[in-house]
Amino acid sequence: MENNFAVRTEGLTKKYGDKIAVNSVDLTIPRGVAFGYLGPNGAGKTTLIRMLLGLTPSTSGQMWMLGEKVPEHRSLALAKVGAIVEEPRFHEYMTALENLRIAAAVRGPEAEKRIGESLERVGLGERSKDKVKSYSLGMRQRLGIARCLLTDPELLILDEPMNGLDPAGIMEFRLLIRAFVGEGRTVVISSHLLDEIEKTCDAVSIVDQGQIIRQGNLSEMFGNPSGEVEIEVGDSEGALSVLSRLSYVSSVELVGKNQLKFELNPEVKPSQVNSDLVLAGVLVEKFSPTRKTLEDEFLSITSNMGIH
């Protein structure tokens, strides 16, 4: 069973005195996906990663990575894992190339052969001979990923990897993550950036105050329209009159000069509304079923739980 998952935990808990940082977490991360571990700062994301990697002991619970029970078989698991926890650290007065050579020296000859390719993949090939002290935070993040690639990992665990990246850098990062998944790797991204997680990942866990409050595939959570529709028309008053009389339409409101928003019965196809409006003489210029976003879901869940 454990071989079906890249990561699995049961009742994983971490306490610091009276404070509970991770609270009985049951986490399942399938293989071959980009997975977002999502929550605000202080939600316990980094603590969970540190327990998985054996950097801090758990108080209770069980953990598996790539089919290996940890910490019992930690060395076997970590041989197939690349990770960045918080900001990656390097020798400041050495070049990126020199830093990776040091990292590869303890990993064997195969790691040495991957240095050039790893630097190119993260876009640092032309800056590989620059000292790391001259690198921006975003460049250090990319160098950290290059270091992870030296072992050709099956599982990458990245803690807030988009910190310090400009919009172009975030786009490059997103493409890089999708390329890793295309190669059959699993990428776990811990982040508080809801929009980027939604654009990058296949599945997520939403965590707050050390607890998972929702997890699953994004396609399952948000694959269908929410039932809310926005339209742009030539005659807003006429459209409002027609929509108000339709039994399968509710909550109609004007949201702009020629724009309306309403709730549609999920059993009715949007084309039916469009047809009824046109038959009534209302010209529909734009028709857009809206989709629930990860931010909508996060705010809805945390609001319902009284989390602020």
Side-chain angles (χ1 to χ4, degrees), residues 52-280:
L52 286 172
L53 299 175
L55 301 176
T56 188
S58 63
T59 303
S60 60
Q62 300 183 84
M63 302 174 281
W64 294 263
M65 283 198 303
L66 300 173
E68 304 291 348
K69 198 167 190 306
V70 290
E72 289 86 344
H73 302 143
R74 176 173 175 264
S75 59
L76 288 174
L78 292 186
K80 300 175 283 186
V81 176
I84 299 176
V85 184
E86 299 176 310
E87 183 183 344
R89 306 290 180 181
F90 299 98
H91 299 287
E92 297 276 324
Y93 291 92
M94 291 184 177
T95 67
L97 188 58
E98 289 168 339
N99 270 277
L100 291 197
R101 282 175 177 163
I102 291 172
V106 298
R107 292 171 169 83
E110 291 302 315
E112 177 78 25
K113 295 176 184 177
R114 296 189 187 104
I115 291 176
E117 177 188 355
S118 298
L119 287 166
E120 290 293 338
R121 288 206 71 176
V122 300
L124 292 176
E126 295 183 359
R127 298 290 303 273
S128 65
K129 295 183 180 179
D130 293 353
K131 291 182 178 180
V132 174
K133 69 175 183 178
S134 69
Y135 276 20
S136 65
L137 176 57
M139 292 173 69
R140 291 171 191 241
Q141 294 281 15
R142 285 189 278 162
L143 183 57
I145 295 174
R147 185 168 59 190
C148 289
L149 294 177
L150 295 179
T151 57
D152 193 23
E154 294 179 31
L155 170 63
L156 280 161
I157 300 177
L158 309 176
D159 188 15
E160 298 286 359
M162 288 171 273
N163 280 354
L165 297 181
D166 59 19
I170 289 175
M171 175 64 76
E172 291 173 0
F173 171 82
R174 193 184 306 148
L175 294 174
L176 186 63
I177 295 305
R178 297 314 309 174
F180 291 154
V181 173
E183 295 165 1
R185 306 180 201 267
T186 305
V187 185
V188 179
I189 304 169
S190 165
S191 182
H192 64 281
L193 302 175
L194 286 80
D195 184 53
E196 289 309 320
I197 288 294
E198 183 170 15
K199 291 176 181 176
T200 306
C201 294
D202 306 295
V204 298
S205 281
I206 299 175
V207 59
D208 205 346
Q209 297 184 354
Q211 292 182 297
I212 290 177
I213 52 181
R214 181 79 183 272
Q215 66 179 321
N217 293 332
L218 284 173
S219 60
E220 294 173 357
M221 289 184 183
F222 317 116
N224 298 318
S226 64
E228 188 176 83
V229 178
E230 289 186 8
I231 60 173
E232 188 171 319
V233 295
D235 176 12
S236 58
E237 292 298 328
L240 182 62
S241 175
V242 173
L243 291 170
S244 299
R245 296 195 302 268
L246 295 175
S247 61
Y248 55 80
V249 169
S250 60
S251 304
V252 185
E253 61 176 316
L254 286 167
V255 292
K257 183 178 179 182
N258 296 306
Q259 295 174 309
L260 297 95
K261 182 169 68 175
F262 56 88
E263 291 286 337
L264 177 64
N265 186 319
E267 297 178 358
V268 177
K269 294 182 178 180
S271 59
Q272 180 64 51
V273 188
N274 186 58
S275 176
D276 287 342
L277 286 167
V278 172
L279 287 173

